[in-house]
Amino acid sequence: MSTPRVAVVTGSNKGIGFAVVRALCKQFTGDVYITARDVGRGQAAVQSLKSEGLNPLFHQLDITDLTSIRTLRDFLKERYGGIDVLINNAGIAFKVNDTTPFRIQAEVTLRTNFFATRDICNEILPIVKPGGRVVNVSSIAGSMALKQCSPELQARFRSDDITEEELVRLMERFVEEAKSGVHTQRGWPNWGYGVSKTGVTVLSRIQARMLQKERPQDGILLNACCPGWVRTDMAGPKATKSPDEGAITPVYLALLPPGADGPQGEFVSEKQVQAW
């Protein structure tokens, strides 16, 4: 028996992630995993898709918990010898009218959206198989926040030589300056979610460069994307897209055909590469 191919979608018990799993179950040849922090919600999501005649699997994952990430990594190595498709979809956003102080919003949002996404990439990227696909779900909010940064910050975030270490320092700096209430004076927008997604897109550019440098023959494609404004618990009922419509671009990137040489290290929206 040859080992089946495997795809994992983080934060996929509802919303865009759930719709991505639905589409992959129909279009990807191999096993597709729903992951969620809460086992009960994850298993309920599996049952929901099984009632549609699909056959996803479930594995617990809390991206803010390194032990949880490493448990998933070890399971994938043992069961499949690695991973073929990783879609980093898990993320959070405070509502516009949330009264939580900005210093807390900034720290909590970046902890999940940037730092935890970086953790899962650092643990899982080494076991991505040749021909693998990695999709980091970012947002047009990251592009909008970038334009609101100081010229100095914009230059670093757009540069082709920024390192992961420098990016981490900048994201840590934003959190610290937000805590001190001086972030706007230091060139940052007043927007934790936007900055977190700027970080995700830049991280994706860095990771794609690293893959090309360290594993040039492996044909792994890694991109960031914006699913659009999607009707979810996060975005609310007035958004313009259904979750299934929001899944289109992440799934497109996850299923780029074998031998494709791009897109690579890009920010993609509506299946089109966007200027960064």
Side-chain angles (χ1 to χ4, degrees):
M1 281 279 291
S2 61
T3 305
R5 298 174 73 228
V6 61
V8 173
V9 185
T10 72
S12 50
N13 61 290
K14 62 179 181 177
I16 296 166
F18 182 75
V20 167
V21 170
R22 175 190 279 128
L24 288 177
C25 283
K26 296 174 181 177
Q27 299 176 52
F28 174 79
T29 305
D31 292 347
V32 183
Y33 279 82
I34 287 176
T35 69
R37 284 178 300 183
D38 184 281
V39 172
R41 289 177 182 168
Q43 290 173 338
V46 166
Q47 292 308 315
S48 177
L49 287 179
K50 283 190 170 178
S51 73
E52 298 179 20
L54 304 173
N55 197 31
L57 299 162
F58 174 73
H59 199 288
Q60 194 276 339
L61 175 66
D62 178 354
I63 68 165
T64 64
D65 178 354
L66 259 178
T67 302
S68 177
I69 294 172
R70 288 170 177 163
T71 299
L72 174 65
R73 177 201 65 192
D74 293 347
F75 167 77
L76 291 167
K77 278 168 64 176
E78 184 178 341
R79 174 73 179 82
Y80 298 95
I83 184 173
D84 299 282
V85 172
L86 172 65
I87 300 185
N88 285 313
N89 166 75
I92 62 165
F94 285 84
K95 302 294 186 194
V96 174
N97 57 0
D98 194 299
T99 56
T100 304
F102 184 76
R103 66 181 187 278
I104 296 171
Q105 290 197 27
E107 182 173 25
V108 170
T109 303
L110 266 78
R111 184 192 307 146
T112 296
N113 293 2
F114 176 77
F115 291 103
T117 298
R118 173 178 175 254
D119 285 342
I120 194 163
C121 287
N122 286 342
E123 297 294 335
I124 304 290
L125 284 185
I127 67 164
V128 174
K129 294 181 181 181
R133 304 287 181 254
V134 181
V135 184
N136 292 330
V137 177
S138 188
S139 171
I140 196 74
S143 306
M144 293 160 66
L146 175 69
K147 294 185 177 97
Q148 296 173 29
C149 287
S150 67
E152 294 79 13
L153 285 171
Q154 288 191 44
R156 291 318 299 149
F157 287 138
R158 288 196 169 105
S159 77
D160 290 329
D161 63 2
I162 186 172
T163 63
E164 187 174 326
E165 292 71 27
E166 182 185 356
L167 176 61
V168 167
R169 285 197 301 271
L170 286 169
M171 293 288 111
E172 288 172 341
R173 195 184 105 192
F174 170 70
V175 171
E176 290 308 311
E177 291 175 349
K179 284 182 178 177
S180 303
V182 298
H183 56 287
T184 51
Q185 295 100 289
R186 302 284 171 83
W188 298 99
N190 200 45
W191 193 8
Y193 181 78
V195 171
S196 77
K197 293 301 190 177
T198 301
V200 169
T201 300
V202 177
L203 181 66
S204 305
R205 288 159 56 90
I206 294 167
Q207 290 168 337
R209 282 207 315 268
M210 179 200 74
L211 285 167
Q212 285 182 302
K213 181 181 174 186
E214 296 179 1
R215 300 176 63 181
Q217 305 306 316
D218 281 357
I220 297 167
L221 297 179
L222 185 154
N223 292 282
C225 71
C226 179
W229 191 29
V230 180
R231 291 187 293 278
T232 61
D233 290 349
M234 187 186 290
K238 294 180 182 175
T240 50
K241 285 187 175 183
S242 70
D244 288 329
E245 290 167 334
I248 289 171
T249 292
V251 170
Y252 157 73
L253 292 170
L255 299 179
L256 288 168
D261 59 4
Q264 170 73 311
E266 301 286 3
F267 176 65
V268 179
S269 177
E270 308 296 342
K271 300 203 286 190
Q272 300 295 314
V273 171
Q274 306 297 308
W276 178 247

